[in-house]
């Protein structure tokens, strides 16, 4: 056997090894992407559940929340701060959904985004959020209001 033949066989084995490695890495990346996506969706659900858990376990928070969604003007200053904190938690969960491009999480927000108290909060504090999220929520609120008109 001459060295040219050995070199050709080694090159063919090397090329095959590269192709197999690329296939393996592709499969691993796909699996990792699915796992990451599931993990991010779980984290978003947990953020939303944090608000739900607060409302389910604390009657005062529940009272303040439902008084506030009708309009923040009906709340005294301490209740307004309590309502704003609850809404901030909820909007952080929506921000996670937005950043992850998770439409299901965003669509679940329709009821909240229609509420006058949340719209008042948004008008006052929307500047605290990144511009893309701010535009998304503002546009979505307008669409919801227009659909109800």
């Amino acid at each position: 056997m001459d060295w040219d033949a050995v070199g050709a066989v080694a090159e063919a084995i090397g090329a095959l090894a590269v192709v197999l490695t690329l296939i393996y890495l592709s499969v691993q990346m796909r699996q990792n992407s699915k796992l990451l996506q599931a993990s991010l969706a779980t984290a978003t659900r947990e953020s939303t559940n944090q608000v739900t858990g607060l409302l389910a376990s604390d009657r005062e928070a529940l009272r303040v929340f439902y008084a506030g969604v009708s309009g923040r003007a009906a709340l005294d200053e301490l209740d307004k701060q309590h309502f704003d904190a609850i809404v901030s938690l909820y909007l952080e969960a929506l921000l996670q959904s937005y950043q992850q491009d998770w439409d299901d999480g965003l669509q679940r927000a329709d009821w909240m985004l229609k509420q006058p108290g949340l719209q008042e909060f948004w008008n006052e504090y929307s500047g605290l959020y990144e511009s893309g999220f701010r535009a998304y929520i503002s546009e979505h609120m307008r669409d919801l209001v227009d659909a109800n008109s």
Side-chain angles (χ1 to χ4, degrees):
M1 183 178 226
D2 68 15
W3 286 111
D4 288 334
V6 171
V9 169
E11 258 184 60
I13 291 172
L16 180 62
V18 168
V19 169
L20 292 175
T21 300
L22 290 174
I23 291 170
Y24 173 78
L25 290 174
S26 174
V27 168
Q28 289 298 311
M29 286 178 60
R30 199 170 305 129
Q31 288 175 346
N32 188 44
S33 293
K34 287 180 183 179
L35 182 62
L36 181 61
Q37 190 174 25
S39 176
L40 293 173
T42 298
T44 299
R45 276 191 223 86
E46 287 173 357
S47 294
T48 303
N49 289 342
Q50 181 181 11
V51 176
T52 303
L54 171 67
L55 297 177
S57 65
D58 184 342
R59 288 179 66 90
E60 181 64 11
L62 186 66
R63 180 195 66 76
V64 167
F65 176 75
Y66 277 101
V69 294
S70 299
R72 291 171 71 234
L75 301 173
D76 65 30
E77 192 57 36
L78 187 59
D79 284 350
K80 190 180 292 184
Q81 291 171 355
H82 194 176
F83 175 77
D84 290 351
I86 294 167
V87 170
S88 292
L89 280 173
Y90 187 73
L91 285 170
E92 285 301 316
L94 289 183
L95 178 59
Q96 282 184 355
S97 292
Y98 172 79
Q99 289 171 333
Q100 297 163 22
D101 199 24
W102 190 47
D103 288 336
D104 187 46
L106 294 167
Q107 289 171 356
R108 294 178 189 193
D110 286 0
W111 179 84
M112 280 285 290
L113 296 177
K114 290 185 220 180
Q115 302 307 312
L118 194 120
Q119 292 174 4
E120 292 166 13
F121 173 91
W122 186 252
N123 289 336
E124 189 168 339
Y125 295 108
S126 64
L128 298 174
Y129 296 91
E130 64 182 62
S131 61
F133 180 67
R134 192 169 51 240
Y136 176 85
I137 294 295
S138 296
E139 182 180 328
H140 197 62
M141 279 183 174
R142 276 192 301 275
D143 292 346
L144 290 169
V145 170
D146 291 346
N148 288 335
S149 299

